[in-house]
Amino acid sequence: MAKADIHPKWYPDAKVYCNGQVVMTIGSTKPELHVDVWSGNHPFYTGTQKIIDTEGRVERFLRKYGMSSTQSAEGTDQK
C-alpha cells in the first residue's frame, strides 16, 4: 500500500491547452497543462514544414552545398 501524504494529488481529467484551446484531456499531477506544440500542430504529424530563416542562414547553407538554383559565381571557382 502507498504511504500517506507523500504522493502528489492526481487529476484524472487534466486539460491540455495549446494556443488557448483545449486540445486533449489526460491524467496528470497538474489540473491544467499549457503547451506550445502537440501532435495536432507538429510538422512531423501534419506534413507541413516551417523553416525559420534568420539572417539568411538557410540560403547561405543551400548555396554552400549546391542545393540552390542561385549559386554564386565566387563559390564555384574556388577549390
Side-chain angles (χ1 to χ4, degrees):
M1 178 145 267
K3 290 185 179 180
D5 300 327
I6 64 166
H7 298 285
K9 181 170 171 46
W10 182 252
Y11 298 94
D13 295 325
K15 294 185 178 12
V16 179
Y17 292 91
C18 184
N19 296 329
Q21 297 178 350
V22 176
V23 293
M24 68 178 78
T25 303
I26 61 169
S28 177
T29 57
K30 296 187 181 232
E32 292 182 352
L33 300 167
H34 297 273
V35 296
D36 295 328
V37 178
W38 67 291
S39 62
N41 66 358
H42 191 278
F44 180 80
Y45 298 106
T46 61
T48 60
Q49 183 177 4
K50 206 181 344 179
I51 297 176
I52 299 172
D53 189 8
T54 307
E55 301 171 5
R57 293 180 186 163
V58 173
E59 181 62 33
R60 188 172 47 213
F61 175 84
L62 294 175
R63 270 186 286 144
K64 181 177 180 179
Y65 293 103
M67 296 177 199
S68 177
S69 60
T70 58
Q71 294 179 357
S72 64
E74 39 190 79
T76 57
D77 293 341
Q78 298 173 356
K79 293 233 176 192

